[in-house]
Amino acid sequence: YDALRHKIEERGTRYFPEHNGEKLYGELVMILAVGGDGHVLQTEVVQGSGNPMLDRRAQAIAVAAGPFGGFTPEMRREADQLAVISRFIFSRDNALRTQGGEGVR
């Protein structure tokens, strides 16, 4: 999870969401489904920021940050995909931070 989180935070900070030259700030909760090969299979915003554009940009950032590391053989014996619930925080210091990381198979 830490490697996934770092890649998403780096991508989101580097390509901080904007619309018409204005930064988009806010928080949302998203579920990321990651396949055994490390690619994002699906994203779902389960608690929106109140700004649909920010929510869509957050989903695009999560997908573009991949692929993440593939599953180890032990992980593959347990699951073929992993769903990660994470809070995305686009803060006024123009950085993306994520919190959470609870996994569901």
XYZ file of all heavy atoms in Angstrom:
814
model
N 0.821 -1.203 0.000
C 0.000 0.000 0.000
C 0.859 1.260 0.000
O 0.523 2.221 -0.678
C -0.956 0.000 1.189
C -1.692 1.322 1.298
C -2.704 1.638 0.403
C -1.318 2.261 2.228
C -3.342 2.864 0.456
C -1.952 3.487 2.294
C -2.964 3.778 1.419
O -3.599 4.992 1.464
N 1.953 1.265 0.746
C 2.783 2.475 0.810
C 3.320 2.866 -0.561
O 3.351 4.051 -0.906
C 3.938 2.309 1.796
C 3.501 2.504 3.232
O 2.458 3.141 3.457
O 4.201 2.007 4.129
N 3.759 1.881 -1.352
C 4.275 2.190 -2.692
C 3.163 2.769 -3.566
O 3.376 3.751 -4.292
C 4.858 0.939 -3.340
N 1.969 2.199 -3.481
C 0.818 2.698 -4.235
C 0.506 4.134 -3.814
O 0.349 5.022 -4.650
C -0.377 1.775 -3.984
C -1.707 2.155 -4.605
C -2.418 0.894 -5.107
C -2.587 2.868 -3.607
N 0.443 4.348 -2.507
C 0.128 5.676 -1.965
C 1.145 6.711 -2.428
O 0.771 7.801 -2.876
C 0.091 5.605 -0.435
C -0.240 6.929 0.232
C -0.362 6.767 1.732
N 0.856 6.293 2.359
C 1.884 7.077 2.685
N 1.840 8.370 2.438
N 2.948 6.573 3.268
N 2.429 6.376 -2.365
C 3.473 7.329 -2.764
C 3.372 7.678 -4.249
O 3.533 8.842 -4.626
C 4.868 6.790 -2.438
C 5.196 6.810 -0.984
N 5.279 7.972 -0.248
C 5.447 5.810 -0.116
C 5.570 7.684 1.006
N 5.666 6.375 1.114
N 3.111 6.687 -5.081
C 2.998 6.960 -6.519
C 1.806 7.863 -6.819
O 1.891 8.782 -7.631
C 2.877 5.655 -7.313
C 4.202 4.928 -7.481
C 4.071 3.722 -8.386
C 4.102 4.170 -9.838
N 4.181 3.020 -10.771
N 0.687 7.625 -6.149
C -0.504 8.452 -6.369
C -0.263 9.866 -5.850
O -0.597 10.847 -6.523
C -1.743 7.819 -5.713
C -2.128 6.541 -6.464
C -2.917 8.812 -5.697
C -3.233 5.742 -5.807
N 0.315 9.992 -4.657
C 0.574 11.321 -4.104
C 1.539 12.109 -4.978
O 1.348 13.307 -5.203
C 1.101 11.214 -2.672
C 0.040 10.794 -1.687
C 0.568 10.636 -0.272
O 1.803 10.659 -0.064
O -0.272 10.456 0.638
N 2.578 11.450 -5.470
C 3.541 12.129 -6.341
C 2.854 12.627 -7.614
O 3.027 13.775 -8.022
C 4.690 11.193 -6.703
C 5.699 11.827 -7.634
C 6.744 10.835 -8.097
O 7.237 10.051 -7.263
O 7.065 10.852 -9.301
N 2.070 11.766 -8.225
C 1.372 12.135 -9.472
C 0.385 13.277 -9.211
O 0.302 14.223 -9.987
C 0.654 10.907 -10.024
C -0.129 11.152 -11.274
C 0.726 10.890 -12.443
N 0.016 11.232 -13.667
C 0.555 11.132 -14.846
N 1.771 10.683 -14.974
N -0.119 11.476 -15.908
N -0.379 13.176 -8.133
C -1.377 14.198 -7.826
C -0.785 15.539 -7.458
O -1.374 16.583 -7.725
N 0.396 15.529 -6.838
C 1.068 16.779 -6.497
C 1.686 17.392 -7.748
O 1.583 18.600 -7.981
C 2.124 16.536 -5.403
O 1.459 16.050 -4.224
C 2.870 17.807 -5.071
N 2.311 16.559 -8.575
C 2.938 17.052 -9.804
C 1.888 17.604 -10.778
O 2.096 18.635 -11.403
C 3.719 15.946 -10.491
C 4.388 16.463 -11.784
C 5.155 15.388 -12.521
N 6.201 14.842 -11.669
C 6.637 13.588 -11.763
N 6.133 12.777 -12.644
N 7.586 13.165 -10.952
N 0.773 16.913 -10.905
C -0.291 17.331 -11.828
C -1.530 17.727 -11.025
O -2.610 17.180 -11.225
C -0.609 16.200 -12.820
C 0.586 15.807 -13.642
C 1.299 14.653 -13.349
C 1.025 16.611 -14.687
C 2.411 14.288 -14.095
C 2.137 16.255 -15.437
C 2.822 15.094 -15.130
O 3.926 14.749 -15.869
N -1.342 18.686 -10.124
C -2.424 19.114 -9.234
C -3.620 19.551 -10.069
O -3.470 20.284 -11.048
C -1.949 20.272 -8.343
C -2.785 20.442 -7.119
C -2.511 19.721 -5.978
C -3.850 21.315 -7.110
C -3.289 19.870 -4.836
C -4.637 21.481 -5.983
C -4.351 20.756 -4.838
N -4.826 19.101 -9.714
C -5.999 19.399 -10.533
C -6.309 20.898 -10.628
O -6.258 21.617 -9.629
C -7.145 18.675 -9.825
C -6.544 17.878 -8.746
C -5.130 18.276 -8.573
N -6.618 21.308 -11.834
C -7.004 22.697 -12.115
C -8.173 22.702 -13.081
O -8.384 21.741 -13.810
C -5.853 23.454 -12.784
C -4.640 23.649 -11.955
C -3.566 24.477 -12.674
O -3.850 25.021 -13.764
O -2.455 24.571 -12.142
N -8.887 23.818 -13.075
C -9.932 24.062 -14.065
C -9.914 25.545 -14.384
O -10.029 26.381 -13.486
C -11.301 23.635 -13.542
C -12.405 23.868 -14.520
N -12.495 23.179 -15.711
C -13.449 24.722 -14.493
C -13.556 23.600 -16.366
N -14.151 24.539 -15.645
N -9.733 25.869 -15.660
C -9.645 27.267 -16.096
C -8.597 28.049 -15.315
O -8.815 29.194 -14.923
C -11.011 27.957 -16.000
C -12.006 27.410 -16.990
O -11.643 26.926 -18.063
N -13.279 27.469 -16.635
N -7.465 27.407 -15.051
C -6.367 28.076 -14.361
C -6.519 28.169 -12.856
O -5.648 28.713 -12.183
N -7.602 27.659 -12.309
C -7.841 27.696 -10.857
C -7.582 26.316 -10.264
O -8.068 25.311 -10.777
C -9.303 28.092 -10.562
C -9.704 29.456 -11.070
C -9.118 30.573 -10.247
O -8.986 30.411 -9.020
O -8.774 31.619 -10.834
N -6.833 26.262 -9.172
C -6.595 25.003 -8.474
C -7.895 24.480 -7.880
O -8.743 25.259 -7.441
C -5.578 25.192 -7.345
C -4.242 25.744 -7.791
C -3.376 24.677 -8.380
C -1.987 25.256 -8.660
N -1.125 24.327 -9.309
N -8.036 23.169 -7.868
C -9.216 22.517 -7.291
C -8.817 21.884 -5.959
O -7.954 21.017 -5.918
C -9.751 21.442 -8.243
C -10.184 21.907 -9.621
C -10.573 20.713 -10.489
C -11.345 22.887 -9.516
N -9.428 22.339 -4.871
C -9.121 21.843 -3.538
C -10.315 21.065 -3.005
O -11.457 21.354 -3.339
C -8.809 23.003 -2.580
C -7.690 23.890 -3.053
C -7.948 25.171 -3.536
C -6.372 23.449 -3.023
C -6.912 25.987 -3.969
C -5.334 24.262 -3.459
C -5.622 25.529 -3.929
O -4.599 26.330 -4.367
N -10.041 20.094 -2.158
C -11.127 19.347 -1.525
C -10.683 17.957 -1.119
O -9.521 17.570 -1.291
N -11.644 17.206 -0.571
C -11.403 15.842 -0.102
C -12.478 14.926 -0.658
O -13.631 15.329 -0.822
C -11.465 15.771 1.422
C -10.402 16.551 2.126
C -10.450 16.374 3.632
O -11.013 15.364 4.120
O -9.921 17.258 4.329
N -12.082 13.691 -0.919
C -13.038 12.683 -1.374
C -12.537 11.323 -0.938
O -11.371 11.156 -0.584
C -13.179 12.728 -2.900
C -11.902 12.522 -3.704
C -11.953 11.224 -4.467
C -11.711 13.697 -4.640
N -13.437 10.353 -0.932
C -13.076 8.976 -0.608
C -13.325 8.130 -1.851
O -14.390 8.220 -2.471
C -13.895 8.438 0.585
C -13.569 6.974 0.848
C -13.637 9.279 1.829
N -12.303 7.338 -2.199
C -12.363 6.538 -3.415
C -11.963 5.097 -3.106
O -11.113 4.859 -2.247
C -11.399 7.126 -4.453
C -11.447 6.467 -5.800
S -10.168 7.022 -6.970
C -10.041 8.752 -6.698
N -12.576 4.178 -3.841
C -12.157 2.778 -3.821
C -11.403 2.523 -5.116
O -11.906 2.827 -6.200
C -13.358 1.816 -3.722
C -14.143 2.064 -2.440
C -12.867 0.361 -3.789
C -15.434 1.265 -2.351
N -10.192 1.985 -4.982
C -9.384 1.595 -6.135
C -9.341 0.078 -6.173
O -8.971 -0.549 -5.182
C -7.946 2.089 -6.002
C -7.699 3.571 -5.874
C -6.259 3.824 -5.459
C -7.967 4.228 -7.190
N -9.712 -0.504 -7.302
C -9.558 -1.945 -7.495
C -8.295 -2.147 -8.328
O -8.187 -1.634 -9.438
C -10.773 -2.522 -8.196
N -7.334 -2.873 -7.760
C -6.054 -3.104 -8.411
C -5.927 -4.593 -8.705
O -6.131 -5.434 -7.816
C -4.882 -2.636 -7.508
C -3.548 -2.881 -8.170
C -5.046 -1.164 -7.151
N -5.597 -4.911 -9.958
C -5.433 -6.300 -10.369
C -4.076 -6.850 -9.984
O -3.165 -6.109 -9.593
N -3.929 -8.155 -10.122
C -2.700 -8.835 -9.753
C -1.468 -8.357 -10.498
O -0.354 -8.498 -10.017
N -1.673 -7.755 -11.679
C -0.531 -7.238 -12.446
C -0.183 -5.805 -12.063
O 0.730 -5.215 -12.626
C -0.811 -7.322 -13.940
C -1.980 -6.452 -14.391
O -2.639 -5.810 -13.542
O -2.243 -6.428 -15.607
N -0.927 -5.221 -11.112
C -0.639 -3.875 -10.626
C -1.399 -2.762 -11.320
O -1.279 -1.597 -10.944
N -2.204 -3.094 -12.332
C -2.989 -2.071 -13.032
C -4.294 -1.780 -12.294
O -4.893 -2.689 -11.702
C -3.310 -2.521 -14.459
C -2.147 -2.425 -15.372
N -1.226 -3.436 -15.516
C -1.732 -1.416 -16.175
C -0.308 -3.064 -16.378
N -0.576 -1.836 -16.791
N -4.731 -0.529 -12.347
C -6.011 -0.147 -11.762
C -7.112 -0.682 -12.662
O -7.164 -0.377 -13.852
C -6.128 1.388 -11.603
C -7.511 1.770 -11.094
C -5.051 1.916 -10.662
N -7.992 -1.498 -12.091
C -9.103 -2.080 -12.839
C -10.320 -1.171 -12.828
O -11.073 -1.125 -13.798
C -9.485 -3.440 -12.242
C -8.382 -4.482 -12.174
C -8.857 -5.701 -11.397
C -7.939 -4.852 -13.580
N -10.505 -0.472 -11.708
C -11.701 0.353 -11.547
C -11.474 1.350 -10.419
O -10.729 1.080 -9.478
C -12.892 -0.544 -11.215
C -14.193 0.174 -11.037
C -15.325 -0.796 -10.712
O -15.146 -2.008 -10.669
N -16.505 -0.257 -10.482
N -12.132 2.498 -10.540
C -12.168 3.469 -9.446
C -13.620 3.811 -9.185
O -14.441 3.813 -10.101
C -11.410 4.772 -9.793
O -12.033 5.393 -10.912
C -9.945 4.503 -10.075
N -13.938 4.065 -7.936
C -15.292 4.490 -7.569
C -15.207 5.522 -6.458
O -14.624 5.248 -5.399
C -16.120 3.290 -7.102
C -17.525 3.670 -6.691
C -18.320 2.511 -6.124
O -17.821 1.367 -6.114
O -19.450 2.757 -5.661
N -15.759 6.692 -6.704
C -15.828 7.722 -5.669
C -17.043 7.392 -4.806
O -18.170 7.375 -5.297
C -15.943 9.138 -6.273
C -16.141 10.174 -5.178
C -14.697 9.456 -7.097
N -16.804 7.091 -3.530
C -17.900 6.713 -2.634
C -18.335 7.865 -1.733
O -19.409 7.810 -1.144
C -17.546 5.465 -1.790
C -17.426 4.236 -2.688
C -16.289 5.660 -0.986
N -17.510 8.877 -1.630
C -17.875 10.110 -0.924
C -17.227 11.239 -1.699
O -16.012 11.433 -1.638
C -17.382 10.097 0.520
C -17.764 11.345 1.298
C -17.242 11.287 2.736
O -16.838 10.235 3.233
N -17.246 12.413 3.391
N -18.026 11.951 -2.453
C -17.517 12.993 -3.325
C -17.061 14.235 -2.581
O -17.409 14.459 -1.422
N -16.295 15.037 -3.293
C -15.760 16.291 -2.740
C -16.785 17.420 -2.814
O -16.564 18.478 -2.243
C -14.522 16.705 -3.533
O -14.892 17.023 -4.869
N -17.852 17.204 -3.570
C -18.794 18.288 -3.840
C -18.482 18.969 -5.160
O -19.237 19.812 -5.630
N -17.357 18.608 -5.763
C -16.953 19.153 -7.053
C -16.714 17.975 -8.004
O -15.676 17.320 -7.931
C -15.673 19.982 -6.902
C -15.231 20.622 -8.196
O -15.537 20.141 -9.285
N -14.477 21.701 -8.085
N -17.682 17.685 -8.877
C -17.544 16.528 -9.774
C -16.267 16.560 -10.619
O -15.695 15.511 -10.919
C -18.790 16.596 -10.654
C -19.779 17.394 -9.865
C -18.965 18.361 -9.054
N -15.806 17.757 -10.978
C -14.577 17.848 -11.772
C -13.377 17.359 -10.959
O -12.541 16.615 -11.474
C -14.331 19.267 -12.263
C -13.072 19.362 -13.118
S -13.049 20.744 -14.220
C -14.473 20.418 -15.218
N -13.293 17.739 -9.695
C -12.209 17.276 -8.835
C -12.296 15.759 -8.664
O -11.280 15.063 -8.726
C -12.241 17.970 -7.474
C -11.173 17.518 -6.478
C -9.769 17.726 -7.024
C -11.353 18.232 -5.149
N -13.489 15.244 -8.482
C -13.659 13.802 -8.327
C -13.158 13.054 -9.565
O -12.432 12.056 -9.448
C -15.124 13.452 -8.065
C -15.649 14.033 -6.762
O -14.851 14.525 -5.931
O -16.883 13.997 -6.572
N -13.494 13.531 -10.749
C -13.047 12.890 -11.996
C -11.530 12.993 -12.148
O -10.876 12.047 -12.571
C -13.744 13.511 -13.199
C -15.194 13.088 -13.340
C -15.788 13.508 -14.669
N -15.728 14.937 -14.922
C -16.640 15.817 -14.517
N -17.694 15.417 -13.834
N -16.507 17.097 -14.808
N -10.968 14.150 -11.805
C -9.515 14.332 -11.906
C -8.792 13.398 -10.933
O -7.753 12.846 -11.255
C -9.126 15.788 -11.633
C -9.579 16.754 -12.706
C -8.721 16.715 -13.953
N -7.405 17.213 -13.624
C -6.266 16.576 -13.896
N -6.267 15.444 -14.531
N -5.115 17.098 -13.539
N -9.350 13.213 -9.726
C -8.740 12.303 -8.751
C -8.727 10.876 -9.297
O -7.717 10.159 -9.157
C -9.494 12.360 -7.425
N -9.805 10.469 -9.941
C -9.851 9.137 -10.535
C -8.797 9.011 -11.636
O -8.091 7.999 -11.709
C -11.240 8.847 -11.090
C -12.274 8.636 -9.999
C -13.659 8.429 -10.573
O -14.254 9.352 -11.120
N -14.160 7.211 -10.452
N -8.668 10.032 -12.461
C -7.682 10.010 -13.542
C -6.261 9.956 -12.983
O -5.399 9.249 -13.524
C -7.857 11.235 -14.446
N -6.001 10.664 -11.901
C -4.675 10.651 -11.269
C -4.355 9.251 -10.756
O -3.251 8.744 -10.958
C -4.613 11.699 -10.138
C -4.529 13.107 -10.736
C -3.435 11.432 -9.195
C -4.776 14.223 -9.739
N -5.322 8.610 -10.110
C -5.099 7.267 -9.568
C -4.763 6.276 -10.678
O -3.840 5.467 -10.543
C -6.319 6.806 -8.785
N -5.493 6.343 -11.784
C -5.244 5.429 -12.904
C -3.888 5.719 -13.538
O -3.100 4.806 -13.815
C -6.378 5.513 -13.945
C -6.031 4.736 -15.201
C -7.695 5.010 -13.349
N -3.584 6.992 -13.757
C -2.332 7.382 -14.415
C -1.107 7.081 -13.561
O -0.009 6.924 -14.097
C -2.367 8.872 -14.774
N -1.267 6.999 -12.250
C -0.140 6.714 -11.364
C 0.343 5.268 -11.510
O 1.481 4.962 -11.193
C -0.506 6.990 -9.914
N -0.516 4.389 -11.989
C -0.152 2.981 -12.153
C 0.694 2.771 -13.394
O 1.002 3.716 -14.112
N 1.118 1.571 -13.658
C 0.795 0.405 -12.833
C 1.650 0.379 -11.559
O 2.732 0.958 -11.499
C 1.152 -0.787 -13.733
C 2.212 -0.268 -14.639
C 1.905 1.199 -14.828
N 1.099 -0.285 -10.579
C 1.775 -0.474 -9.307
C 2.428 -1.851 -9.340
O 2.256 -2.598 -10.288
C 0.765 -0.337 -8.166
C -0.008 0.950 -8.260
C -1.304 0.964 -8.734
C 0.579 2.158 -7.921
C -2.011 2.155 -8.853
C -0.106 3.354 -8.041
C -1.410 3.351 -8.510
N 3.160 -2.204 -8.342
C 3.833 -3.501 -8.326
C 2.837 -4.643 -8.398
O 1.748 -4.574 -7.829
N 3.209 -5.685 -9.120
C 2.369 -6.870 -9.208
C 2.304 -7.606 -7.878
O 3.147 -7.406 -6.994
N 1.325 -8.457 -7.746
C 1.144 -9.227 -6.514
C 2.254 -10.261 -6.378
O 2.712 -10.830 -7.364
C -0.193 -9.961 -6.530
C -1.408 -9.088 -6.390
C -1.346 -7.709 -6.450
C -2.646 -9.661 -6.210
C -2.471 -6.922 -6.328
C -3.788 -8.893 -6.088
C -3.704 -7.520 -6.140
N 2.635 -10.523 -5.167
C 3.572 -11.612 -4.890
C 2.825 -12.933 -5.072
O 1.585 -12.954 -5.057
C 4.092 -11.519 -3.447
O 2.984 -11.713 -2.549
C 4.778 -10.190 -3.164
N 3.550 -14.039 -5.220
C 2.868 -15.338 -5.336
C 1.932 -15.607 -4.152
O 0.843 -16.147 -4.330
C 4.020 -16.344 -5.392
C 5.150 -15.573 -5.994
C 5.005 -14.178 -5.442
N 2.353 -15.214 -2.960
C 1.509 -15.409 -1.774
C 0.211 -14.605 -1.893
O -0.872 -15.101 -1.570
C 2.279 -15.004 -0.519
C 1.489 -15.193 0.759
C 2.306 -14.831 1.973
O 3.247 -15.586 2.297
O 1.998 -13.790 2.588
N 0.324 -13.358 -2.347
C -0.873 -12.522 -2.522
C -1.791 -13.128 -3.583
O -3.005 -13.144 -3.416
C -0.482 -11.100 -2.919
C 0.192 -10.312 -1.827
S 0.850 -8.721 -2.402
C -0.648 -7.836 -2.782
N -1.209 -13.646 -4.666
C -2.007 -14.238 -5.749
C -2.778 -15.462 -5.278
O -3.852 -15.752 -5.800
C -1.132 -14.598 -6.941
C -0.692 -13.388 -7.736
C 0.105 -13.833 -8.965
N 0.622 -12.708 -9.679
C -0.038 -12.049 -10.625
N -1.250 -12.415 -10.957
N 0.506 -11.025 -11.234
N -2.244 -16.188 -4.302
C -2.966 -17.343 -3.758
C -4.195 -16.896 -2.983
O -5.172 -17.630 -2.877
C -2.052 -18.182 -2.867
C -1.111 -19.072 -3.649
C -0.451 -20.103 -2.744
N 0.465 -19.503 -1.780
C 1.730 -19.202 -2.028
N 2.256 -19.426 -3.214
N 2.490 -18.670 -1.083
N -4.140 -15.685 -2.444
C -5.232 -15.167 -1.623
C -6.295 -14.415 -2.421
O -7.468 -14.435 -2.075
C -4.678 -14.239 -0.539
C -3.783 -14.917 0.466
C -4.547 -15.855 1.369
O -5.677 -15.514 1.760
O -4.016 -16.940 1.669
N -5.867 -13.694 -3.477
C -6.812 -12.830 -4.199
C -6.289 -12.530 -5.597
O -5.084 -12.527 -5.833
C -7.010 -11.524 -3.432
N -7.218 -12.261 -6.515
C -6.812 -11.862 -7.861
C -6.906 -10.354 -8.050
O -6.456 -9.821 -9.056
C -7.624 -12.589 -8.932
C -9.114 -12.358 -8.801
O -9.555 -11.751 -7.804
O -9.858 -12.793 -9.699
N -7.500 -9.680 -7.077
C -7.512 -8.221 -7.085
C -7.660 -7.730 -5.658
O -8.058 -8.472 -4.772
C -8.604 -7.658 -7.986
C -10.025 -7.975 -7.573
C -11.020 -7.359 -8.518
O -11.372 -6.194 -8.359
N -11.476 -8.123 -9.486
N -7.322 -6.461 -5.481
C -7.381 -5.842 -4.163
C -8.130 -4.533 -4.292
O -7.863 -3.756 -5.215
C -5.954 -5.588 -3.660
C -5.784 -4.989 -2.280
C -6.263 -5.974 -1.220
C -4.320 -4.649 -2.039
N -9.080 -4.307 -3.407
C -9.802 -3.034 -3.370
C -9.264 -2.233 -2.189
O -9.231 -2.718 -1.064
C -11.301 -3.262 -3.216
N -8.821 -1.024 -2.476
C -8.226 -0.158 -1.456
C -9.117 1.064 -1.292
O -9.436 1.749 -2.272
C -6.799 0.283 -1.865
C -6.203 1.203 -0.819
C -5.917 -0.926 -2.093
N -9.530 1.330 -0.058
C -10.351 2.500 0.260
C -9.418 3.581 0.788
O -8.677 3.343 1.746
C -11.421 2.165 1.308
C -12.285 1.006 0.820
C -12.263 3.398 1.621
C -13.152 0.392 1.904
N -9.464 4.752 0.168
C -8.525 5.806 0.546
C -9.169 7.182 0.439
O -9.963 7.432 -0.462
C -7.295 5.726 -0.362
O -6.279 6.557 0.102
N -8.805 8.052 1.377
C -9.240 9.451 1.337
C -8.184 10.245 0.587
O -6.998 10.159 0.894
C -9.403 10.015 2.741
C -9.810 11.498 2.762
C -10.103 11.982 4.165
N -11.145 11.216 4.809
C -12.463 11.424 4.671
N -12.881 12.403 3.896
N -13.332 10.668 5.287
N -8.614 11.004 -0.417
C -7.732 11.868 -1.198
C -7.942 13.288 -0.713
O -9.075 13.779 -0.711
C -8.086 11.786 -2.687
C -7.599 10.552 -3.378
C -7.933 9.287 -2.914
C -6.809 10.651 -4.509
C -7.488 8.148 -3.556
C -6.351 9.523 -5.163
C -6.695 8.270 -4.684
N -6.876 13.949 -0.317
C -6.946 15.315 0.203
C -6.098 16.209 -0.691
O -4.868 16.098 -0.698
C -6.455 15.387 1.660
C -7.247 14.414 2.528
C -6.542 16.828 2.181
C -6.620 14.148 3.885
N -6.756 17.066 -1.448
C -6.076 18.055 -2.289
C -6.046 19.347 -1.485
O -7.045 20.057 -1.388
C -6.824 18.232 -3.611
C -6.774 17.006 -4.483
C -7.771 16.052 -4.425
C -5.712 16.808 -5.358
C -7.721 14.921 -5.229
C -5.647 15.680 -6.162
C -6.657 14.732 -6.097
N -4.880 19.637 -0.889
C -4.784 20.719 0.095
C -4.309 22.031 -0.519
O -3.778 22.073 -1.622
C -3.840 20.305 1.231
O -2.541 20.109 0.735
N -4.487 23.089 0.232
C -4.137 24.437 -0.221
C -2.635 24.639 -0.389
O -2.213 25.620 -0.974
C -4.691 25.478 0.748
C -6.210 25.463 0.758
C -6.754 26.800 0.391
N -8.191 26.722 0.260
C -8.847 27.014 -0.850
N -8.192 27.407 -1.922
N -10.145 26.934 -0.894
N -1.823 23.704 0.093
C -0.384 23.803 -0.173
C -0.028 23.096 -1.489
O 1.135 22.803 -1.753
C 0.448 23.279 0.996
C 0.225 21.806 1.281
O -0.636 21.170 0.645
O 0.924 21.270 2.162
N -1.076 22.858 -2.317
C -0.936 22.274 -3.655
C -0.281 20.900 -3.631
O 0.551 20.574 -4.477
C -0.179 23.212 -4.598
C -0.922 24.516 -4.791
O -2.150 24.543 -4.783
N -0.189 25.591 -4.932
N -0.665 20.108 -2.651
C -0.159 18.740 -2.530
C -1.335 17.786 -2.370
O -2.371 18.160 -1.823
C 0.776 18.613 -1.336
N -1.169 16.570 -2.872
C -2.143 15.517 -2.644
C -1.615 14.625 -1.531
O -0.471 14.186 -1.570
C -2.350 14.683 -3.923
C -3.121 13.369 -3.730
C -4.528 13.620 -3.190
C -3.189 12.595 -5.032
N -2.470 14.363 -0.562
C -2.163 13.401 0.492
C -3.283 12.370 0.487
O -4.427 12.696 0.203
C -2.103 14.080 1.854
C -0.900 14.988 2.028
C -0.891 15.582 3.415
N -0.165 16.786 3.671
C 0.103 17.802 2.877
N -0.281 17.793 1.648
N 0.771 18.861 3.268
N -2.938 11.126 0.804
C -3.951 10.093 0.904
C -3.903 9.506 2.305
O -2.850 9.472 2.953
C -3.731 8.978 -0.134
O -2.439 8.413 0.036
C -3.869 9.521 -1.552
N -5.053 9.070 2.771
C -5.175 8.437 4.079
C -6.017 7.194 3.907
O -6.913 7.148 3.071
C -5.847 9.353 5.084
C -5.108 10.608 5.391
C -5.903 11.523 6.322
O -7.095 11.378 6.495
N -5.212 12.494 6.906
N -5.765 6.226 4.733
C -6.570 5.016 4.700
C -5.733 3.845 4.274
O -4.679 3.599 4.829
N -6.224 3.178 3.242
C -5.505 2.021 2.741
C -6.101 0.718 3.213
O -5.497 -0.332 3.066
N -7.328 0.788 3.761
C -7.969 -0.456 4.158
C -8.209 -1.277 2.903
O -8.668 -0.763 1.895
C -9.313 -0.191 4.850
C -9.180 0.508 6.191
C -9.019 2.016 6.069
O -9.332 2.582 5.018
O -8.573 2.620 7.047
N -7.870 -2.525 2.932
C -8.006 -3.386 1.760
C -9.142 -4.372 1.909
O -9.415 -4.863 2.996
N -9.801 -4.646 0.810
C -10.873 -5.632 0.755
C -10.582 -6.523 -0.443
O -10.235 -6.023 -1.495
C -12.240 -4.931 0.552
C -13.354 -5.955 0.541
C -12.484 -3.882 1.610
N -10.696 -7.802 -0.290
C -10.469 -8.696 -1.424
C -11.705 -8.855 -2.239
O -12.788 -8.813 -1.808
C -10.021 -10.066 -0.953
C -8.598 -10.045 -0.503
C -8.249 -11.392 -0.042
N -8.170 -11.235 1.394
C -7.473 -11.978 2.187
N -6.839 -12.991 1.729
N -7.398 -11.757 3.448
